[in-house]
Amino acid sequence: YNQPNCTVFHKTAEFYRTADLKKSNAGLKRLFAERHRINGLPALHIVAACGDALNLTQLLEQGASVNAKDVRRCTALWWAIICGQVECVSILISRGADLQNIAVGEHSSALMVAIWRKQIECLKLIIEQNISLTEETRSDKFHPIPLTALHKAAEYDFAEGLKLLFSKDLKPNNLKYPF
């Protein structure tokens, strides 16, 4: 996985090894609390990925920006969602984290990231924020047709997510289908 600005943490997350990510960071929390940057990843992002709610809160109280982006332009909320850190997701949302621009590319909103990573508890928290459930993914050269949350949940075979979206009165006949 060779991309510019790709850290070991990004690589681990991209390959769905969130348990490995948490384990590999366990001994480094002392450094994170001191606001050190590890491989270009800000402390806020690392403590969010590790589920360290205490240090996350402390960093935010000390003035860390809730919407700061790392070298790959991902926010701490992106990290908390992909690692399934529900308490950290809740803290970041309560502190005003931007739910629409947490990364670049197809999975740029909190809603789409929670669906992509099949994080049902995070998805519930995000939906509680009264966001638009009919938002569409950004189109790009790899994904030329924008898709809705319902489309993406179906694409990723995320049955729990589909059930939750349907329970919110999001019906297929209310959506425009691109195919």
Side-chain angles (χ1 to χ4, degrees), residues 111-129:
L111 177 66
M112 294 300 181
V113 172
I115 290 169
W116 168 50
R117 294 309 295 263
K118 299 182 180 181
Q119 297 291 355
I120 191 68
E121 296 304 318
C122 295
L123 183 60
K124 289 176 185 176
L125 281 174
I126 294 161
I127 289 175
E128 287 174 8
Q129 303 308 305

Side-chain angles (χ1 to χ4, degrees), residues 97-108:
D98 182 355
L99 299 175
Q100 295 304 316
N101 299 298
I102 68 170
V104 295
E106 180 185 10
H107 303 110
S108 61

